[in-house]
Amino acid sequence: ALLYRQRYAVLRLAFERFSVWYPDEYYQFCYENRDWIEDYALYMTIKQNQDMKHYLEWPQPLRDHEKAALDQIYATQEKEVHFWKFLQFEFFRQWKELKAYANAAGVKILGDIPIYMAADSADVWAGGKLFELDKEGRPARVAGCPPDYFSADGQLWGNPLYDWEGKKRQVFAFWRERIFWCARLYDAIRIDHFRAFHTYWSVPAGAKSAQEGHWEPGPGMELLKLLQTAAPKLELIAEDLGNLDLDALEFV
């Protein structure tokens, strides 16, 4: 908690020195990552302004990602938007150097990615069309897992579910981009809750426990083959925790 409170003072000091003159490398990074970094930086800027509230509690134009409202944020707080871009720029610059150093020493880096997005995240706020959300942007159904040897009530995670059926093309494109990024960051990745590619536990929004959920078919091998094609050198590790039935176990 102390680190969380104090580190931003140091980071903002670094940004003040950095922002005297933005180098070409910074602009190049922002351009190459324009598909996500604009939304991320806007999301963090607004979240700071809104006392870190869940984006669903923001004023409606900001909550709904309306262009005019976002343009106003950029017009009045452009430097703050650049601050959040700067943090990403520095992280990826330093990470690239670290990975090169590790690989040169014969060390591979293993990453770990969750299959779902956080309910309050730039991904869901900006990419709501990919998920099962109602008209107000709230999850219609959420992720979890049924009762098993970990929990008698199951686990209610609350992550929005992908709209695998209605927005298949867009969700597949999102995953393709995601795995492409993983290939830049890691030598191998472990996909958390991998079994959801096969079948996933769907729980109605507002349910008191995961026991109210049911199984739904996942995207299956079609998506997995797409990921392998998008990043052929990236090793994939399937997490096999949970109570797997025979079909799911064979898939994993």
Side-chain angles (χ1 to χ4, degrees):
L2 181 66
L3 175 61
Y4 180 82
R5 290 193 301 269
Q6 294 188 352
R7 65 175 176 167
Y8 282 106
V10 179
L11 293 171
R12 288 187 180 278
L13 176 60
F15 174 66
E16 285 300 321
R17 294 170 175 169
F18 173 85
S19 62
V20 172
W21 183 265
Y22 295 122
D24 290 343
E25 292 85 354
Y26 170 74
Y27 285 115
Q28 181 178 354
F29 173 82
C30 292
Y31 176 77
E32 291 174 350
N33 298 284
R34 61 193 180 279
D35 290 340
W36 65 268
I37 199 167
E38 292 292 336
D39 281 321
Y40 167 77
L42 284 166
Y43 169 83
M44 290 304 300
T45 298
I46 299 168
K47 199 166 182 66
Q48 290 286 314
N49 294 343
Q50 298 295 321
D51 298 320
M52 300 302 288
K53 293 177 183 176
H54 193 298
Y55 82 86
L56 291 174
E57 299 179 44
W58 297 353
Q60 179 269 324
L62 295 174
R63 181 198 72 191
D64 293 346
H65 203 265
E66 292 184 4
K67 184 177 184 304
L70 300 184
D71 287 346
Q72 182 65 18
I73 293 293
Y74 226 120
T76 58
Q77 299 184 63
E78 182 176 358
K79 189 170 183 179
E80 181 69 8
V81 174
H82 277 293
F83 168 69
W84 294 103
K85 291 182 181 181
F86 160 74
L87 297 187
Q88 295 297 308
F89 169 72
E90 271 301 306
F91 169 79
F92 283 109
R93 183 186 66 78
Q94 294 181 28
W95 181 264
K96 183 178 179 181
E97 293 179 0
L98 175 63
K99 185 176 184 299
Y101 177 80
N103 290 165
V107 176
K108 291 184 178 181
I109 294 181
L110 171 64
D112 187 282
I113 65 167
I115 194 166
Y116 294 120
M117 300 292 107
D120 184 16
S121 63
D123 301 278
V124 177
W125 171 65
K129 63 183 180 294
L130 304 176
F131 304 92
E132 294 186 11
L133 305 178
D134 64 19
K135 293 180 180 179
E136 295 184 351
R138 302 179 185 280
R141 300 186 298 169
V142 297
C145 70
D148 58 16
Y149 48 81
F150 285 115
S151 171
D153 292 328
Q155 299 176 39
L156 186 57
W157 300 330
N159 307 78
L161 295 173
Y162 298 105
D163 189 356
W164 292 116
E165 185 175 351
K167 299 292 184 180
K168 176 181 174 180
R169 182 178 61 82
Q170 294 93 325
V171 179
F172 271 42
F174 171 82
W175 266 94
R176 187 184 187 282
E177 187 66 19
R178 194 178 185 204
I179 209 72
F180 176 76
W181 260 98
C182 286
R184 298 174 64 179
L185 295 173
Y186 314 113
D187 300 297
I189 60 165
R190 168 189 177 273
I191 300 179
D192 182 57
H193 197 52
F194 185 85
R195 76 149 297 153
F197 281 142
H198 177 266
T199 43
Y200 60 91
W201 194 246
S202 172
V203 185
K208 295 189 185 223
S209 85
Q211 291 184 4
E212 300 180 41
H214 64 275
W215 290 113
E216 292 277 354
M221 289 300 298
E222 183 180 0
L223 178 58
L224 185 58
K225 289 178 180 177
L226 174 68
L227 302 185
Q228 292 173 323
T229 301
K233 294 183 179 180
L234 182 67
E235 298 178 43
L236 301 180
I237 299 173
E239 180 213 37
D240 61 355
L241 294 177
N243 188 10
L244 304 179
D245 56 35
L246 183 59
D247 283 348
L249 187 61
E250 288 179 351
F251 178 81
V252 172

